[in-house]
Amino acid sequence: LLTVLSAFMFYAMPGLSLFQLMQNFAALVSMPIAIPLLWGIFFKRTPPWSGWTTVLVCLVVSLVVGNLTTLFGPDAYQRIIGSATPLLPVERAYVIFGLGVFANVIVGSAWFFGSSFWYARQTPEYRASVEAFFRDLHTPVHFADEGVADADGSQYRTLGLLCTIYGGFIGTLTLIPNAPVGRLAFLIVGVVIGGIGLVLLRHARRFAR
């Protein structure tokens, strides 16, 4: 249902390319879901409803950010960034992306951490289950005790090989006719991804020894 509603919201944004559409989806839909997932790994003193309410609050924030022109006039985004000239569709898409990320991180984090004030009111059973979850989360897995094979080496090797191939492919994109800055961007991204792959392959060889 949320995905269908999001599709209607994005359909109402004129002049968006597929790339800009995916950018806005990441900022306005994926970000609200990611915030409680991220903070929930590190912060445990929240009630059971803090996760899904954070998603709902962030979706409301995203809805407001994506429809500022309807709420505050056609030049709302232009006024926010202080532009003296009307924004082009591509510029407006970038503004929506930036505002969506910033607003979701600030408001979503404030709501998630603010819900911790209700943690003390939760039942002892719930707090015990939270403690048990984080205790399991921080307990190392010993493959021998679990009766399964140690797969770290093969995972290092597989991920390292994939990253090396991806990095090499992106690096070859520097051969495409482009401005020097564009060629440099491809080169840097390729080197970073390929470098991570080489590090993982090195771990795989060390693990094998």
Side-chain angles (χ1 to χ4, degrees):
L1 178 60
L2 293 175
T3 302
V4 172
L5 292 176
S6 302
F8 279 112
M9 182 180 71
F10 288 127
Y11 180 76
M13 299 179 183
L16 287 182
S17 66
L18 180 61
F19 176 72
Q20 294 161 352
L21 181 62
M22 292 306 299
Q23 271 192 319
N24 286 349
F25 187 87
L28 304 181
V29 179
S30 299
M31 185 67 70
I33 299 173
I35 289 175
L37 289 176
L38 173 64
W39 292 133
I41 297 176
F42 303 103
F43 189 73
K44 61 183 178 180
R45 296 181 58 82
T46 56
W49 47 263
S50 62
W52 64 266
T53 56
T54 301
V55 174
L56 291 182
V57 168
C58 289
L59 286 175
V60 172
V61 171
S62 296
L63 191 63
V64 172
V65 170
N67 294 274
L68 287 180
T69 54
T70 304
L71 299 173
F72 302 105
D75 60 342
Y77 299 111
Q78 178 183 338
R79 294 199 308 269
I80 288 176
I81 66 173
S83 175
T85 58
L87 299 178
L88 298 174
V90 63
E91 295 173 331
R92 174 174 157 166
Y94 291 145
V95 172
I96 293 175
F97 174 78
L99 288 177
V101 171
F102 180 78
N104 273 304
V105 169
I106 297 300
V107 177
S109 299
W111 180 273
F112 183 84
F113 289 111
S115 66
S116 63
F117 289 107
W118 282 268
Y119 182 76
R121 303 180 184 180
Q122 304 307 310
T123 62
E125 292 79 11
Y126 171 75
R127 283 183 284 178
S129 68
V130 172
E131 294 294 335
F133 170 78
F134 276 87
R135 185 168 55 252
D136 291 341
L137 188 65
H138 293 94
T139 301
V141 175
H142 299 287
F143 295 99
D145 297 338
E146 299 294 333
V148 296
D150 191 345
D152 283 355
S154 61
Q155 291 176 353
Y156 281 139
R157 185 167 53 255
T158 301
L159 291 176
L161 184 61
L162 286 175
C163 287
T164 304
I165 294 173
Y166 292 160
F169 173 75
I170 294 175
T172 59
L173 296 180
T174 57
L175 302 176
I176 297 175
N178 206 344
V181 175
R183 292 176 185 264
L184 183 62
F186 281 123
L187 180 62
I188 291 175
V189 173
V191 168
V192 170
I193 297 178
I196 293 174
L198 293 176
V199 171
L200 291 174
L201 289 175
R202 182 181 178 185
H203 277 286
R205 289 193 296 270
R206 186 178 301 172
F207 189 88
R209 290 198 300 269

